[in-house]
Amino acid sequence: QLQLVESGGGLVQAGGSLRLSCAASGRASSRSAMGWFRQAPGKDSEFVATISSIDGTRYAESVKGRFTISRDGAKNTLYLQMNSLKPEDTAVYYCAARGSVGFYASDSRNDYAYWGQGTQVTVSS
């Protein structure tokens, strides 16, 4: 089992920055691919970014060049640095992990076995 806890969300003005963190605990492979997804009110869940020690990082087109995903293996923590935030980035952001059999990056939420509880990000115009 793997537990994921997000933090770092909040209210920020357009053009500002936030860094989300996701602390992982429990039994998990350090090679497990991880990702960030988000869901805005009234909209479907949306892929944001994914990272894998095997095949690197991948981003949604809407955040490419503004967001950066990274991980600190020693701290078992996943990060999402969000710069140049826009009102359309407003959503609940979820951290996810593929688990011990998922080592490749994926933009499909169906490939992720473990999920955090989410953290709210609100960008004001």
Side-chain angles (χ1 to χ4, degrees):
Q1 279 287 18
L2 181 65
Q3 293 78 44
L4 304 174
V5 179
E6 302 98 332
S7 61
L11 173 64
V12 63
Q13 287 189 330
S17 298
L18 281 174
R19 187 177 80 157
L20 304 183
S21 299
C22 173
S25 61
R27 294 187 62 183
S29 168
S30 61
R31 297 175 64 194
S32 172
M34 298 187 73
W36 290 96
F37 291 77
R38 66 187 182 186
Q39 187 165 22
K43 295 188 177 181
D44 292 334
S45 176
E46 176 186 26
F47 164 74
V48 176
T50 179
I51 187 168
S52 161
S53 59
I54 295 178
D55 55 353
T57 60
R58 195 185 308 166
Y59 296 91
E61 285 298 322
S62 59
V63 307
K64 198 173 292 185
R66 299 188 298 122
F67 291 11
T68 302
I69 188 171
S70 63
R71 67 195 299 177
D72 184 332
K75 296 181 179 180
N76 288 328
T77 301
L78 179 73
Y79 300 100
L80 185 68
Q81 177 66 45
M82 306 186 294
N83 298 329
S84 302
L85 282 161
K86 304 175 181 180
E88 50 264 43
D89 294 319
T90 295
V92 177
Y93 283 71
Y94 297 90
C95 165
R98 292 201 62 188
S100 59
V101 297
F103 300 145
Y104 291 90
S106 172
D107 59 7
S108 172
R109 60 177 292 114
N110 292 331
D111 288 335
Y112 290 82
Y114 302 98
W115 293 84
Q117 83 290 348
T119 186
Q120 176 70 47
V121 171
T122 303
V123 185
S124 63
S125 57

